[in-house]
Amino acid sequence: MELEIKQGYKQTEVGLIPEDWNIGILTNVTELITDGAHLSPPTSNSGYPIVTVENINKGYIDIPSCRIISKTDYDYLVRNNCKPLKGDVLLSKDGTIGITFTIKKNRDIVLLSSIALIRPKKNNLDGQYLSYSFESEWFYKFLNRVKGGSALKRIVLRDIAKYIIGLPPTLSLIHI
């Protein structure tokens, strides 16, 4: 039995989407897909917060719960793309998988590798739209397919980059 598709919609890899939408691979609609530091700098008495998956909740970072690292370590991690910027999307990828939200303002923080940092192409993809997409049933099915690990579940950046996303017409102008 074939499922009837409502007029004005089409069936795609991401499910039912409006006819004027397209689909794209995440790596083609983002400037950067990375994660935080893979080596944890030592704790310092003064400096800057470093964020782990344990410090993020739905929609925010619990800054007071973060460890503090030195300015030298902070500067090194900033140079290595571990600092999220306004509009970036964070996604927990180790242990607790799938917590996501958009950075609403620039802060002097850096990330550890348990958090993916996804930077949308500013003129093509809105971070909030991407974060909403990461909260979809389609994305959770995707996560369940790609997660690995026995004791500690995780997803890897190369799999996140392959995520297929529905793109409204204004986002479909980019080369997918």
Side-chain angles (χ1 to χ4, degrees):
M1 179 175 156
E2 251 185 70
L3 190 63
E4 185 177 329
I5 298 175
K6 187 176 173 182
Q7 186 175 356
Y9 289 84
K10 62 184 176 184
Q11 187 65 44
T12 69
E13 293 96 321
V14 300
L16 211 54
I17 61 173
E19 284 181 348
D20 59 345
W21 285 36
N22 283 312
I23 57 171
I25 299 170
L26 192 60
T27 193
N28 293 340
V29 294
T30 55
E31 291 178 20
L32 180 67
I33 299 174
T34 191
D35 54 11
H38 286 255
L39 293 173
S40 185
T43 300
S44 177
N45 290 330
S46 64
Y48 299 89
I50 187 163
V51 182
T52 73
V53 72
E54 293 146 0
N55 307 119
I56 65 172
N57 294 296
K58 185 166 176 50
Y60 72 97
I61 298 170
D62 182 16
I63 299 289
S65 73
C66 296
R67 281 189 318 107
I68 302 299
I69 62 171
S70 71
K71 177 170 179 21
T72 302
D73 289 331
Y74 171 82
D75 290 342
Y76 173 80
L77 294 177
V78 168
R79 286 191 305 273
N80 286 280
N81 288 323
C82 296
K83 177 184 172 148
L85 303 175
K86 181 180 178 181
D88 287 351
V89 176
L90 301 186
L91 175 67
S92 61
K93 66 178 202 66
D94 295 345
T96 303
I97 299 172
I99 299 172
T100 184
F101 59 92
T102 306
I103 296 293
K104 304 229 182 326
K105 64 181 182 177
N106 288 324
R107 290 196 153 155
D108 291 330
I109 60 171
V110 289
L111 307 173
L112 271 176
S113 65
S114 59
I115 304 171
L117 184 157
I118 299 114
R119 184 164 295 148
K121 289 183 179 175
K122 299 293 183 216
N123 295 329
N124 296 314
L125 182 60
D126 179 69
Q128 194 64 51
Y129 173 80
L130 179 58
S131 186
Y132 286 146
S133 173
F134 286 167
E135 294 175 345
S136 70
E137 181 181 340
W138 165 251
F139 188 69
Y140 285 112
K141 288 179 182 177
F142 169 79
L143 289 179
N144 283 325
R145 280 195 322 270
V146 299
K147 72 181 171 184
S150 52
L152 179 68
K153 296 296 182 191
R154 63 175 37 121
I155 53 175
V156 295
L157 294 175
R158 108 179 131 259
D159 288 333
I160 294 169
K162 294 177 188 174
Y163 175 62
I164 300 171
I165 184 172
L167 299 169
T170 56
L171 302 180
S172 300
L173 300 175
I174 55 180
H175 300 287
I176 51 176

